[in-house]
Amino acid sequence: MTISIGDRVPEGTLTEFIESTDNGQSGPQAFKVSELVKGKKIVLFAVPGAFTPTCTTKHVVDFIRDAEQIKAKGVDEIWCVAVNDAFVMGAWGRDTGATGIIRLLADGAATWTTELGLELDLIARGLGVRSRRYSAILEDGVVKQLNVEEGGEYKISGTQTILSQL
């Protein structure tokens, strides 16, 4: 069953590649979703994969470009979730310039994505289970808006829709 407006996002663990921690180390850091969303207004967008064409040349680029406008509307954080590992998400953030603007969160085994009911089976294409392309507005972990794309489209999950919903 797919998550809906008014639902609380499920518990899960997402991983972020942190460039430098307090002790000077960098690498993947795991975070509980319930702790990440607590008391925050978050714009979340999910993509089928880092370094894939539409995700890289359109989706993440639009959110980087419009991040200040989004945050000016009271948004605490912008997240991008993909079914990749944290190393890939970190490299993608560095490559696109998203690091420090957008939190690039990995759902490596598609566990959280599956709990949301937003998984996309691309096994036949050799890509495994991925995330559907979507965007959402979360307030304290509750879904206030949800924009799920059909097929490979990129029409309703971008910043134009999010800005109109904030």
PDB file of all heavy atoms in Angstrom, residues 83-107:
ATOM      1  N   VAL A  83      17.664   4.745  -4.058  1.00  0.00           N
ATOM      2  CA  VAL A  83      18.094   3.401  -3.704  1.00  0.00           C
ATOM      3  C   VAL A  83      19.488   3.210  -4.313  1.00  0.00           C
ATOM      4  O   VAL A  83      19.646   2.638  -5.384  1.00  0.00           O
ATOM      5  CB  VAL A  83      17.088   2.333  -4.182  1.00  0.00           C
ATOM      6  CG1 VAL A  83      17.591   0.941  -3.806  1.00  0.00           C
ATOM      7  CG2 VAL A  83      15.713   2.590  -3.580  1.00  0.00           C
ATOM      8  N   ASN A  84      20.438   3.783  -3.636  1.00  0.00           N
ATOM      9  CA  ASN A  84      21.862   3.668  -3.936  1.00  0.00           C
ATOM     10  C   ASN A  84      22.560   3.576  -2.597  1.00  0.00           C
ATOM     11  O   ASN A  84      21.945   3.808  -1.557  1.00  0.00           O
ATOM     12  CB  ASN A  84      22.385   4.902  -4.680  1.00  0.00           C
ATOM     13  CG  ASN A  84      21.885   5.012  -6.110  1.00  0.00           C
ATOM     14  OD1 ASN A  84      21.121   5.912  -6.431  1.00  0.00           O
ATOM     15  ND2 ASN A  84      22.302   4.103  -6.968  1.00  0.00           N
ATOM     16  N   ASP A  85      23.864   3.318  -2.608  1.00  0.00           N
ATOM     17  CA  ASP A  85      24.586   3.336  -1.343  1.00  0.00           C
ATOM     18  C   ASP A  85      25.068   4.763  -1.050  1.00  0.00           C
ATOM     19  O   ASP A  85      25.055   5.632  -1.918  1.00  0.00           O
ATOM     20  CB  ASP A  85      25.733   2.319  -1.330  1.00  0.00           C
ATOM     21  CG  ASP A  85      26.813   2.623  -2.338  1.00  0.00           C
ATOM     22  OD1 ASP A  85      27.472   3.682  -2.219  1.00  0.00           O
ATOM     23  OD2 ASP A  85      27.015   1.795  -3.246  1.00  0.00           O
ATOM     24  N   ALA A  86      25.461   4.988   0.180  1.00  0.00           N
ATOM     25  CA  ALA A  86      25.862   6.326   0.613  1.00  0.00           C
ATOM     26  C   ALA A  86      27.105   6.822  -0.115  1.00  0.00           C
ATOM     27  O   ALA A  86      27.253   8.032  -0.333  1.00  0.00           O
ATOM     28  CB  ALA A  86      26.093   6.340   2.126  1.00  0.00           C
ATOM     29  N   PHE A  87      27.997   5.927  -0.533  1.00  0.00           N
ATOM     30  CA  PHE A  87      29.184   6.349  -1.271  1.00  0.00           C
ATOM     31  C   PHE A  87      28.783   6.934  -2.623  1.00  0.00           C
ATOM     32  O   PHE A  87      29.313   7.962  -3.049  1.00  0.00           O
ATOM     33  CB  PHE A  87      30.154   5.180  -1.455  1.00  0.00           C
ATOM     34  CG  PHE A  87      30.789   4.722  -0.179  1.00  0.00           C
ATOM     35  CD1 PHE A  87      30.324   3.584   0.463  1.00  0.00           C
ATOM     36  CD2 PHE A  87      31.834   5.433   0.393  1.00  0.00           C
ATOM     37  CE1 PHE A  87      30.907   3.156   1.652  1.00  0.00           C
ATOM     38  CE2 PHE A  87      32.421   5.011   1.584  1.00  0.00           C
ATOM     39  CZ  PHE A  87      31.954   3.879   2.218  1.00  0.00           C
ATOM     40  N   VAL A  88      27.837   6.282  -3.298  1.00  0.00           N
ATOM     41  CA  VAL A  88      27.342   6.776  -4.588  1.00  0.00           C
ATOM     42  C   VAL A  88      26.637   8.116  -4.398  1.00  0.00           C
ATOM     43  O   VAL A  88      26.860   9.065  -5.162  1.00  0.00           O
ATOM     44  CB  VAL A  88      26.406   5.744  -5.254  1.00  0.00           C
ATOM     45  CG1 VAL A  88      25.681   6.347  -6.448  1.00  0.00           C
ATOM     46  CG2 VAL A  88      27.195   4.518  -5.670  1.00  0.00           C
ATOM     47  N   MET A  89      25.803   8.209  -3.368  1.00  0.00           N
ATOM     48  CA  MET A  89      25.083   9.459  -3.118  1.00  0.00           C
ATOM     49  C   MET A  89      26.062  10.597  -2.800  1.00  0.00           C
ATOM     50  O   MET A  89      25.876  11.726  -3.246  1.00  0.00           O
ATOM     51  CB  MET A  89      24.063   9.278  -1.999  1.00  0.00           C
ATOM     52  CG  MET A  89      22.936   8.318  -2.341  1.00  0.00           C
ATOM     53  SD  MET A  89      21.915   8.838  -3.725  1.00  0.00           S
ATOM     54  CE  MET A  89      20.848  10.021  -2.895  1.00  0.00           C
ATOM     55  N   GLY A  90      27.118  10.295  -2.045  1.00  0.00           N
ATOM     56  CA  GLY A  90      28.128  11.303  -1.743  1.00  0.00           C
ATOM     57  C   GLY A  90      28.843  11.771  -2.995  1.00  0.00           C
ATOM     58  O   GLY A  90      29.058  12.974  -3.197  1.00  0.00           O
ATOM     59  N   ALA A  91      29.218  10.842  -3.857  1.00  0.00           N
ATOM     60  CA  ALA A  91      29.888  11.196  -5.107  1.00  0.00           C
ATOM     61  C   ALA A  91      28.965  12.004  -6.010  1.00  0.00           C
ATOM     62  O   ALA A  91      29.393  12.975  -6.648  1.00  0.00           O
ATOM     63  CB  ALA A  91      30.359   9.932  -5.823  1.00  0.00           C
ATOM     64  N   TRP A  92      27.685  11.626  -6.048  1.00  0.00           N
ATOM     65  CA  TRP A  92      26.708  12.350  -6.859  1.00  0.00           C
ATOM     66  C   TRP A  92      26.532  13.779  -6.334  1.00  0.00           C
ATOM     67  O   TRP A  92      26.461  14.729  -7.116  1.00  0.00           O
ATOM     68  CB  TRP A  92      25.393  11.581  -6.844  1.00  0.00           C
ATOM     69  CG  TRP A  92      24.370  12.013  -7.849  1.00  0.00           C
ATOM     70  CD1 TRP A  92      24.584  12.335  -9.166  1.00  0.00           C
ATOM     71  CD2 TRP A  92      22.971  12.148  -7.636  1.00  0.00           C
ATOM     72  NE1 TRP A  92      23.396  12.646  -9.770  1.00  0.00           N
ATOM     73  CE2 TRP A  92      22.384  12.531  -8.851  1.00  0.00           C
ATOM     74  CE3 TRP A  92      22.138  11.954  -6.531  1.00  0.00           C
ATOM     75  CZ2 TRP A  92      21.012  12.743  -9.001  1.00  0.00           C
ATOM     76  CZ3 TRP A  92      20.785  12.155  -6.687  1.00  0.00           C
ATOM     77  CH2 TRP A  92      20.228  12.550  -7.901  1.00  0.00           C
ATOM     78  N   GLY A  93      26.511  13.926  -5.027  1.00  0.00           N
ATOM     79  CA  GLY A  93      26.405  15.259  -4.433  1.00  0.00           C
ATOM     80  C   GLY A  93      27.593  16.140  -4.794  1.00  0.00           C
ATOM     81  O   GLY A  93      27.435  17.314  -5.135  1.00  0.00           O
ATOM     82  N   ARG A  94      28.776  15.569  -4.724  1.00  0.00           N
ATOM     83  CA  ARG A  94      29.978  16.335  -5.103  1.00  0.00           C
ATOM     84  C   ARG A  94      29.957  16.684  -6.585  1.00  0.00           C
ATOM     85  O   ARG A  94      30.264  17.806  -6.974  1.00  0.00           O
ATOM     86  CB  ARG A  94      31.238  15.550  -4.755  1.00  0.00           C
ATOM     87  CG  ARG A  94      31.510  15.458  -3.245  1.00  0.00           C
ATOM     88  CD  ARG A  94      32.851  14.829  -2.913  1.00  0.00           C
ATOM     89  NE  ARG A  94      32.975  13.452  -3.373  1.00  0.00           N
ATOM     90  CZ  ARG A  94      32.522  12.382  -2.726  1.00  0.00           C
ATOM     91  NH1 ARG A  94      31.883  12.531  -1.567  1.00  0.00           N
ATOM     92  NH2 ARG A  94      32.700  11.159  -3.207  1.00  0.00           N
ATOM     93  N   ASP A  95      29.552  15.737  -7.420  1.00  0.00           N
ATOM     94  CA  ASP A  95      29.546  15.921  -8.867  1.00  0.00           C
ATOM     95  C   ASP A  95      28.528  16.975  -9.312  1.00  0.00           C
ATOM     96  O   ASP A  95      28.801  17.749 -10.220  1.00  0.00           O
ATOM     97  CB  ASP A  95      29.258  14.584  -9.556  1.00  0.00           C
ATOM     98  CG  ASP A  95      29.447  14.643 -11.045  1.00  0.00           C
ATOM     99  OD1 ASP A  95      30.593  14.855 -11.485  1.00  0.00           O
ATOM    100  OD2 ASP A  95      28.446  14.469 -11.779  1.00  0.00           O
ATOM    101  N   THR A  96      27.357  16.998  -8.680  1.00  0.00           N
ATOM    102  CA  THR A  96      26.292  17.926  -9.075  1.00  0.00           C
ATOM    103  C   THR A  96      26.336  19.259  -8.327  1.00  0.00           C
ATOM    104  O   THR A  96      25.652  20.196  -8.715  1.00  0.00           O
ATOM    105  CB  THR A  96      24.905  17.303  -8.825  1.00  0.00           C
ATOM    106  OG1 THR A  96      24.771  17.013  -7.431  1.00  0.00           O
ATOM    107  CG2 THR A  96      24.691  16.056  -9.660  1.00  0.00           C
ATOM    108  N   GLY A  97      27.110  19.328  -7.257  1.00  0.00           N
ATOM    109  CA  GLY A  97      27.129  20.530  -6.427  1.00  0.00           C
ATOM    110  C   GLY A  97      26.000  20.564  -5.410  1.00  0.00           C
ATOM    111  O   GLY A  97      25.757  21.599  -4.789  1.00  0.00           O
ATOM    112  N   ALA A  98      25.325  19.448  -5.202  1.00  0.00           N
ATOM    113  CA  ALA A  98      24.200  19.389  -4.264  1.00  0.00           C
ATOM    114  C   ALA A  98      24.636  19.322  -2.804  1.00  0.00           C
ATOM    115  O   ALA A  98      23.873  19.699  -1.906  1.00  0.00           O
ATOM    116  CB  ALA A  98      23.309  18.194  -4.578  1.00  0.00           C
ATOM    117  N   THR A  99      25.858  18.857  -2.545  1.00  0.00           N
ATOM    118  CA  THR A  99      26.341  18.716  -1.172  1.00  0.00           C
ATOM    119  C   THR A  99      26.269  20.059  -0.452  1.00  0.00           C
ATOM    120  O   THR A  99      26.721  21.074  -0.963  1.00  0.00           O
ATOM    121  CB  THR A  99      27.783  18.182  -1.160  1.00  0.00           C
ATOM    122  OG1 THR A  99      27.820  16.929  -1.848  1.00  0.00           O
ATOM    123  CG2 THR A  99      28.293  17.996   0.261  1.00  0.00           C
ATOM    124  N   GLY A 100      25.654  20.043   0.730  1.00  0.00           N
ATOM    125  CA  GLY A 100      25.507  21.261   1.512  1.00  0.00           C
ATOM    126  C   GLY A 100      24.235  22.026   1.207  1.00  0.00           C
ATOM    127  O   GLY A 100      23.863  22.939   1.944  1.00  0.00           O
ATOM    128  N   ILE A 101      23.558  21.669   0.134  1.00  0.00           N
ATOM    129  CA  ILE A 101      22.300  22.313  -0.253  1.00  0.00           C
ATOM    130  C   ILE A 101      21.139  21.347  -0.021  1.00  0.00           C
ATOM    131  O   ILE A 101      20.098  21.713   0.507  1.00  0.00           O
ATOM    132  CB  ILE A 101      22.345  22.747  -1.733  1.00  0.00           C
ATOM    133  CG1 ILE A 101      23.477  23.758  -1.950  1.00  0.00           C
ATOM    134  CG2 ILE A 101      20.997  23.329  -2.178  1.00  0.00           C
ATOM    135  CD1 ILE A 101      23.785  24.039  -3.408  1.00  0.00           C
ATOM    136  N   ILE A 102      21.352  20.113  -0.431  1.00  0.00           N
ATOM    137  CA  ILE A 102      20.366  19.046  -0.327  1.00  0.00           C
ATOM    138  C   ILE A 102      20.993  17.893   0.457  1.00  0.00           C
ATOM    139  O   ILE A 102      22.169  17.586   0.246  1.00  0.00           O
ATOM    140  CB  ILE A 102      19.967  18.542  -1.735  1.00  0.00           C
ATOM    141  CG1 ILE A 102      19.295  19.661  -2.534  1.00  0.00           C
ATOM    142  CG2 ILE A 102      19.076  17.309  -1.659  1.00  0.00           C
ATOM    143  CD1 ILE A 102      19.158  19.353  -4.010  1.00  0.00           C
ATOM    144  N   ARG A 103      20.222  17.287   1.327  1.00  0.00           N
ATOM    145  CA  ARG A 103      20.701  16.074   1.998  1.00  0.00           C
ATOM    146  C   ARG A 103      20.455  14.900   1.069  1.00  0.00           C
ATOM    147  O   ARG A 103      19.306  14.602   0.730  1.00  0.00           O
ATOM    148  CB  ARG A 103      19.971  15.851   3.320  1.00  0.00           C
ATOM    149  CG  ARG A 103      20.338  16.878   4.364  1.00  0.00           C
ATOM    150  CD  ARG A 103      19.806  16.531   5.708  1.00  0.00           C
ATOM    151  NE  ARG A 103      20.654  15.504   6.323  1.00  0.00           N
ATOM    152  CZ  ARG A 103      20.522  15.102   7.582  1.00  0.00           C
ATOM    153  NH1 ARG A 103      19.591  15.631   8.358  1.00  0.00           N
ATOM    154  NH2 ARG A 103      21.332  14.177   8.080  1.00  0.00           N
ATOM    155  N   LEU A 104      21.513  14.253   0.633  1.00  0.00           N
ATOM    156  CA  LEU A 104      21.431  13.115  -0.270  1.00  0.00           C
ATOM    157  C   LEU A 104      21.456  11.850   0.572  1.00  0.00           C
ATOM    158  O   LEU A 104      22.497  11.460   1.084  1.00  0.00           O
ATOM    159  CB  LEU A 104      22.575  13.158  -1.273  1.00  0.00           C
ATOM    160  CG  LEU A 104      22.530  14.402  -2.161  1.00  0.00           C
ATOM    161  CD1 LEU A 104      23.861  14.640  -2.821  1.00  0.00           C
ATOM    162  CD2 LEU A 104      21.423  14.289  -3.168  1.00  0.00           C
ATOM    163  N   LEU A 105      20.286  11.239   0.721  1.00  0.00           N
ATOM    164  CA  LEU A 105      20.104  10.129   1.641  1.00  0.00           C
ATOM    165  C   LEU A 105      19.925   8.814   0.887  1.00  0.00           C
ATOM    166  O   LEU A 105      19.090   8.710  -0.017  1.00  0.00           O
ATOM    167  CB  LEU A 105      18.900  10.398   2.539  1.00  0.00           C
ATOM    168  CG  LEU A 105      19.050  11.666   3.407  1.00  0.00           C
ATOM    169  CD1 LEU A 105      17.715  12.052   4.013  1.00  0.00           C
ATOM    170  CD2 LEU A 105      20.093  11.457   4.482  1.00  0.00           C
ATOM    171  N   ALA A 106      20.715   7.844   1.278  1.00  0.00           N
ATOM    172  CA  ALA A 106      20.707   6.536   0.636  1.00  0.00           C
ATOM    173  C   ALA A 106      19.773   5.579   1.360  1.00  0.00           C
ATOM    174  O   ALA A 106      19.775   5.500   2.587  1.00  0.00           O
ATOM    175  CB  ALA A 106      22.130   5.972   0.620  1.00  0.00           C
ATOM    176  N   ASP A 107      19.015   4.841   0.567  1.00  0.00           N
ATOM    177  CA  ASP A 107      18.181   3.745   1.045  1.00  0.00           C
ATOM    178  C   ASP A 107      18.672   2.507   0.294  1.00  0.00           C
ATOM    179  O   ASP A 107      18.011   1.998  -0.604  1.00  0.00           O
ATOM    180  CB  ASP A 107      16.708   4.051   0.748  1.00  0.00           C
ATOM    181  CG  ASP A 107      15.753   2.982   1.250  1.00  0.00           C
ATOM    182  OD1 ASP A 107      16.151   2.183   2.123  1.00  0.00           O
ATOM    183  OD2 ASP A 107      14.608   2.949   0.763  1.00  0.00           O
TER     184      ASP A 107
END
